[in-house]
């Protein structure tokens, strides 16, 4: 019920997973990454223990083939599972069980495994593979997001859309980037928006955190000053269209102060979108205008 990529960056050694599905909170169940070891996406009828055990086996020195064969051997329902695995050396494999809901399949190559089930068709995975191969040289996290966007633009989950996730680890035991859209009508698009904010506001902070190599973890003055600002005033935040503010204040009957506008827009945005949609509707062909003529009773019967 998912399409995903697990991959390694050959230049930095970063490991990551990008995944989307039509079930809530895909980032909580499918992707598993262990820096310096590998990355796994466990999907279809998810068995988290397959990913956990596969990473344990890779850490113990097993090859990707040995790890995949062993975890499947120990799962009585292996034919219902789908897995993508990449090791820290770039070796990658996928598994699609015979009982995975169609359309289901995978494609792999050096540094990546792409897989999906309950998809509209092969074109979803083909587009994802093309996006990964054509984006060589770009930042790793951007490549993963481009792959996810290509999958969504070329079919994706045939049931629809609900959640998406992007997770990347570098050398540290904590993630460099861990973004999740848990319930949304267009989760991959929303993930792109959140990613844009994170690149400007989050990653400079992450890059200043303490490291295992002994970096003290003191953010620069620029990072501290930025994060002391309210979110709406930080770089990377889109300007609020004046029309949205006007509509919010019209329906609420309240002239909000600037520091409350963004919070209230977030709360009322679905309602504002519906009101805007209704205002744009042309109902003339559905229900012609009814005109009340108060003189009708005094006019002749032929009128």
């Amino acid at each position: 019920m998912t399409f995903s990529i697990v991959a390694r960056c050959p230049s930095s050694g970063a490991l990551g997973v990008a995944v989307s599905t039509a079930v809530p909170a895909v980032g909580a169940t499918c992707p598993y990454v262990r820096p310096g070891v590998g990355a796994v996406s466990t999907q279809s009828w998810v068995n988290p223990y397959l990913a956990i055990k596969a990473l344990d086996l890779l850490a113990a020195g097993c090859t990707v083939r040995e790890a995949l064969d062993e975890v499947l051997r120990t799962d009585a329902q292996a034919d219902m599972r789908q897995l993508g695995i990449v090791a820290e050396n770039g070796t990658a494999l996928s598994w699609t069980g015979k009982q995975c809901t169609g359309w289901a399949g995978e494609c792999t190559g050096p540094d990546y495994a792409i897989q999906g089930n309950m998809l509209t068709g092969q074109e979803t995975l083909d587009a994802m593979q093309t996006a990964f191969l054509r984006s060589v040289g770009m930042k790793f996290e951007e490549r993963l997001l481009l792959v996810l966007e290509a999958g969504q633009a070329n079919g994706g989950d045939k049931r629809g859309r609900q959640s998406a996730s992007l997770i990347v680890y570098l050398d540290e035991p904590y993630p460099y980037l861990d973004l999740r859209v848990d319930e949304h009508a267009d989760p991959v698009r929303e993930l792109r928006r959140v990613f844009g904010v994170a690149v400007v506001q989050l990653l400079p902070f992450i890059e200043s955190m303490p490291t295992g190599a002994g970096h003290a973890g003191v953010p620069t003055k620029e990072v501290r000053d930025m994060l002391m600002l309210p979110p709406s005033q930080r770089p990377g935040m889109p300007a609020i269209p004046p029309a949205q503010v006007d509509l919010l204040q019209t329906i609420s009957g309240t002239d909000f102060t600037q520091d409350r506008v963004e919070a209230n827009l977030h709360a009322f945005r679905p309602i504002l979108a519906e009101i805007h949609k209704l205002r744009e509707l042309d109902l003339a062909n559905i229900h012609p205008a009814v005109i009340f003529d108060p003189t009708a009773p005094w006019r002749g019967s032929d009128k």
Side-chain angles (χ1 to χ4, degrees):
M1 299 172 282
T2 308
F3 56 101
S4 69
I5 177 171
V6 298
R8 179 195 77 137
C9 176
S11 58
S12 68
L15 294 160
V17 181
V19 56
S20 185
T21 191
V23 169
V26 68
T29 56
C30 291
Y32 290 79
V33 184
R34 196 175 300 176
V37 176
V40 182
S41 181
T42 171
Q43 50 200 64
S44 187
W45 301 103
V46 172
N47 182 349
Y49 290 103
L50 300 184
I52 295 167
K53 186 171 183 178
L55 291 172
D56 287 343
L57 291 168
L58 291 176
C62 291
T63 66
V64 170
R65 171 53 66 188
E66 290 168 342
L68 179 60
D69 289 347
E70 176 61 18
V71 298
L72 293 175
R73 184 189 66 79
T74 61
D75 186 355
Q77 303 299 328
D79 279 347
M80 299 176 64
R81 318 298 185 196
Q82 188 171 54
L83 286 173
I85 306 177
V86 65
E88 55 83 25
N89 65 2
T91 307
L93 286 173
S94 295
W95 160 265
T96 302
K98 292 182 292 185
Q99 294 183 39
C100 290
T101 305
W103 190 92
E106 75 272 343
C107 55
T108 63
D111 296 317
Y112 72 91
I114 294 170
Q115 45 282 315
N117 63 92
M118 204 176 283
L119 303 180
T120 58
Q122 175 75 48
E123 67 278 359
T124 299
L125 302 189
D126 289 344
M128 294 172 72
Q129 183 181 45
T130 298
F132 187 73
L133 297 177
R134 287 182 177 176
S135 60
V136 173
M138 299 179 67
K139 289 187 175 181
F140 182 58
E141 55 271 21
E142 175 69 26
R143 293 183 74 190
L144 296 184
L145 186 51
L146 285 172
V147 170
L148 207 61
E149 290 173 324
Q152 186 61 79
N154 288 272
D157 191 316
K158 67 183 180 182
R159 296 163 303 164
R161 312 171 183 186
Q162 197 162 6
S163 66
S165 172
L166 171 63
I167 184 168
V168 173
Y169 276 76
L170 298 179
D171 299 327
E172 304 302 325
Y174 56 80
Y176 175 67
L177 191 65
D178 188 354
L179 304 179
R180 303 179 182 187
V181 175
D182 286 339
E183 207 292 315
H184 196 276
D186 198 350
V188 175
R189 183 177 180 182
E190 176 66 4
L191 187 63
R192 166 62 73 178
R193 185 192 70 80
V194 174
F195 176 77
V197 175
V199 166
V200 178
Q201 298 184 23
L202 175 64
L203 293 188
F205 176 68
I206 296 293
E207 290 165 358
S208 72
M209 287 169 58
T211 69
H215 174 64
V218 179
T220 66
K221 182 178 184 302
E222 289 76 14
V223 170
R224 295 198 305 270
D225 288 347
M226 174 187 66
L227 294 179
M228 289 297 290
L229 294 171
S232 61
Q233 297 179 26
R234 295 176 195 158
M237 297 301 292
I240 301 172
Q244 284 193 15
V245 179
D246 292 344
L247 184 56
L248 170 67
Q249 297 183 160
T250 298
I251 67 167
S252 65
T254 303
D255 187 6
F256 293 110
T257 59
Q258 184 60 39
D259 63 330
R260 296 299 303 156
V261 166
E262 178 56 36
N264 282 286
L265 274 177
H266 180 76
F268 286 99
R269 199 163 267 133
I271 299 171
L272 297 177
E274 288 301 313
I275 293 173
H276 179 74
K277 188 187 304 181
L278 290 171
R279 287 183 169 185
E280 294 295 313
L281 286 178
D282 182 359
L283 302 177
N285 294 329
I286 301 173
H287 194 302
V290 176
I291 300 174
F292 174 68
D293 182 1
T295 67
W298 290 275
R299 290 188 285 118
S301 59
D302 59 333
K303 299 294 186 182

